[in-house]
Amino acid sequence: MTKRFALLAAVTILVLVLSACSNYQFKATTNFELDNFNVQDHRGNPVSLDDLKGEPWLAMFIYTTCPDICPPMTYNMKMIQDELIEKGIEDYKIVAFTVDPNTDSADVLTKYIGNYGVADESKWYLLNGYDPKFIEQYAKGSFKTAVVAQTENPIHANTFFLVDQNGVAVKNYNGVQSGNTEVPYDTIVSDLEALIKQGK
């Protein structure tokens, strides 16, 4: 009887957990409509906001010679993609805006991302093809985040942004571990998955 009860309890808990996962509801915490842009990616291809629409995407601000937060941010984004791949989620993009466009050419960005063992680079768009003043203004006006690019040592936040299928930044997350604040890998994946399902 005890074994039957334990088995029944385990099955009940599993059903409740699976039900909770399937009923996960995404809740936006921001509503920043992004301005259009016309830049290029690390493959040398033109990219605009319209090109990115239709699928949700994760965005971040980095630069290749960054000595501190950019490497862990990039690695953490790679880890998020690994989890997306494991769950079979395919309808997404990952976008990185360089805040040092004078240094980060297409070749430099390609070499940079090649250092992280990215499983599916086709999902990644490392953007350049603009000047430092543009990215400062774009970050402030569209993502409501501060970027100081017109300096020898650029400054930017350690934030990941979730952008929906319509080009609206709907949520942001910590991109690196800071003190007791962890990178919310599972939440980011669940939010992205929920957005994809809502768009179908």
Side-chain angles (χ1 to χ4, degrees), residues 28 50 53 65-66 70 93 123 128 140 146 159 167 170 194 198:
D50 286 339
K53 287 181 178 180
T65 58
C66 173
C70 299
K93 299 179 180 74
K123 300 293 187 184
N128 66 354
K140 180 180 179 180
T159 307
V170 291
Q198 289 177 15

Side-chain angles (χ1 to χ4, degrees), residues 98-112:
T98 178
V99 298
D100 187 10
N102 291 336
T103 299
D104 292 342
S105 65
D107 288 343
V108 170
L109 289 169
T110 298
K111 183 177 179 180
Y112 174 81

